[in-house]
Amino acid sequence: MKKIEAIIKPFKLDEVKDALHEIGLQGLTVVEAKGFGRQKGHTELYRGAEYVVDFLPKVKIEVVCTDDLAERAIEAIQQAARTGRIGDGKIFISEIQEVIRIRTGERGEDAV
């Protein structure tokens, strides 16, 4: 099993969610986040004063899926989240050793 974590622009969330649903993924976790990468934030003007916005709004999506679905999920996220501009985000993939459904006690792929 794989855990896929994607940091994306907030306005791309619905497109990514729909793309993952289309390939058969049933559940995901979404966390509002703030951060920066190479773009290092930007400067804004507010009431005549300039200030630096270091942390930009982002959304973190977490999905756990079977190995055979992982590559399709990664591709779906890439396609749906891409704008072609700096700050599109990152995808992190890691191995999951075990999953346990709390309600039933199911383990492994059955719990996903």
Side-chain angles (χ1 to χ4, degrees), residues 20-31:
L20 290 172
H21 182 72
E22 281 180 27
I23 66 164
L25 277 171
Q26 296 182 1
L28 66 121
T29 301
V30 176
V31 179

Side-chain angles (χ1 to χ4, degrees), residues 83-94:
T83 66
R85 296 197 193 117
I86 194 165
D88 274 352
K90 297 265 192 300
I91 300 173
F92 304 98
I93 300 108
S94 51

Side-chain angles (χ1 to χ4, degrees), residues 1-4 25 27-28 62-66 96 99 112:
M1 289 176 290
K2 302 274 192 253
K3 179 179 183 182
I4 302 167
L25 277 171
L28 66 121
E62 296 180 0
V63 176
V64 175
C65 62
T66 58
I96 296 296
V99 177
V112 177

